[in-house]
Amino acid sequence: MNPIRVAIKRIDLSDGMIDRLFKSHLLLLFLFLYVPIAVVIVLSFTPKSFPSFPMDGFSLEWYANLLPPDHNERIVNSLITSLQIGVISALGAGVVGTLAALGLVRSRFSSRWLQSDILYTFTLVPIVVPWIVTGIAGLTFFNLLGIQGTTLSLVIGHILICLPFVVLIVSTQLYQFDRSVEEAAMNLGASELRTFYEVTLPLIAPGIIAGMFFAFTISFDNFTQTFFWVSTQNQTLPVVIFGMIDYGLEPTVNAIGAIIVTVSALIAAAAERLSSRVLE
């Protein structure tokens, strides 16, 4: 018998010990996830241009650098660009992805090669394809269209890379959807369109909202593909930060990170409240 299995069988742990081990594991997991974020927030208040521990004081200088007239124009403009593209990409991927998920889950295909499971697999392929390949492919495609380096190319590219995630989330909810609710509405005289807007859409809204928030995160954080698609006039925040690495990151980046974490937490809380109200 395997000696490891023998050793495990000889270990006799009480229920209380097992419970404490799981709690300790959970605590270590949260520390691993959130201590780096806490460090970023703390360092955003350093008075020095080169962050270090322990800090020699407290300063709001780096937050002031985000406000006119003394703001770092390059960082602020890239942040605004990332936010704009992220919102548009989330909305576009939310609409297109929801329609695609409905087509994949609800439609019936007569062709042997166009079955829903095959199409579903092809829809999710971009998730597993190396992102550098997608970036180069997009660069070639946008060059052929003559839009490489424009905001339009960034929006189209980001919608395409966010789309599979929205389809995955929404289609998962549709597969678990109880269609007897729709049948009851139609038996009471509601048309298919009215049933969709008044019954189906409210019930799958939490999945759509979650997919759109996930799409925004993917778009805002994306660097690999975006690096191939940007120009000097419309660089996003990850691209600008990467370009600053050779010269050293100033704490203004930490201030932006602290603001983004705070706003993200508020958005997540609002989304949770909204999803709960929709389900009610």
Side-chain angles (χ1 to χ4, degrees):
M1 183 178 291
N2 192 316
I4 298 179
R5 293 185 178 181
V6 174
I8 292 176
K9 287 184 177 181
R10 290 179 179 177
I11 298 176
D12 186 15
L13 298 177
S14 64
D15 292 341
M17 178 63 71
I18 294 175
D19 183 62
R20 286 192 291 271
L21 286 174
F22 277 119
K23 289 181 179 178
S24 300
H25 172 74
L26 185 61
L27 176 61
L28 291 174
L29 175 64
F30 278 107
L31 289 175
F32 178 76
L33 290 175
Y34 293 107
V35 165
I37 297 177
V39 170
V40 169
I41 295 175
V42 171
L43 289 179
S44 68
F45 297 103
T46 181
K48 293 185 176 180
S49 58
F50 186 79
S52 61
F53 278 113
M55 297 193 320
D56 295 333
F58 179 89
S59 174
L60 295 176
E61 174 187 355
W62 310 111
Y63 289 90
N65 284 350
L66 300 176
L67 302 174
D70 300 324
H71 64 286
N72 187 316
E73 188 173 353
R74 186 184 180 199
I75 292 180
V76 173
N77 288 343
S78 65
L79 174 62
I80 294 174
T81 300
S82 291
L83 291 173
Q84 291 174 338
I85 294 175
V87 171
I88 297 173
S89 300
L91 292 173
V95 173
V96 178
T98 300
L99 295 176
L102 286 167
L104 289 171
V105 176
R106 298 292 178 84
S107 299
R108 296 293 179 265
F109 301 93
S110 57
S111 174
R112 176 183 177 184
W113 302 103
L114 290 178
Q115 298 297 321
S116 59
D117 54 345
I118 297 176
L119 293 175
Y120 185 75
T121 301
F122 275 104
T123 303
L124 302 182
V125 163
I127 296 179
V128 298
V129 172
W131 283 17
I132 191 171
V133 175
T134 310
I136 296 173
L139 174 64
T140 305
F141 179 67
F142 295 142
N143 274 328
L144 291 175
L145 295 180
I147 60 173
Q148 167 58 26
T150 64
T151 302
L152 178 61
S153 67
L154 280 178
V155 170
I156 294 174
H158 279 221
I159 290 177
L160 291 177
I161 62 179
C162 294
L163 197 57
F165 297 95
V166 177
V167 173
L168 177 62
I169 295 173
V170 177
S171 60
T172 299
Q173 190 162 22
L174 285 172
Y175 278 122
Q176 301 173 349
F177 188 84
D178 185 6
R179 300 203 64 179
S180 62
V181 181
E182 295 176 325
E183 294 172 358
M186 287 187 284
N187 288 336
L188 293 174
S191 63
E192 291 189 10
L193 187 60
R194 184 175 180 182
T195 300
F196 174 76
Y197 279 109
E198 296 189 5
V199 178
T200 308
L201 189 58
L203 290 176
I204 66 173
I208 298 174
I209 294 172
M212 291 175 63
F213 277 112
F214 200 79
F216 175 83
T217 303
I218 294 296
S219 172
F220 187 87
D221 189 52
N222 184 271
F223 167 77
T224 307
Q225 290 117 320
T226 305
F227 180 78
F228 291 93
W229 303 337
V230 297
S231 65
T232 55
Q233 287 75 33
N234 60 356
Q235 291 184 335
T236 60
L237 184 62
V239 174
V240 169
I241 292 176
F242 181 81
M244 295 171 61
I245 291 177
D246 291 337
Y247 307 99
L249 290 176
E250 60 181 70
T252 303
V253 176
N254 293 331
I256 292 177
I259 294 173
I260 291 174
V261 169
T262 303
V263 173
S264 298
L266 294 175
I267 291 176
E272 175 64 24
R273 293 287 298 174
L274 180 60
S275 299
S276 300
R277 290 185 179 181
V278 170
L279 289 174
E280 292 174 358

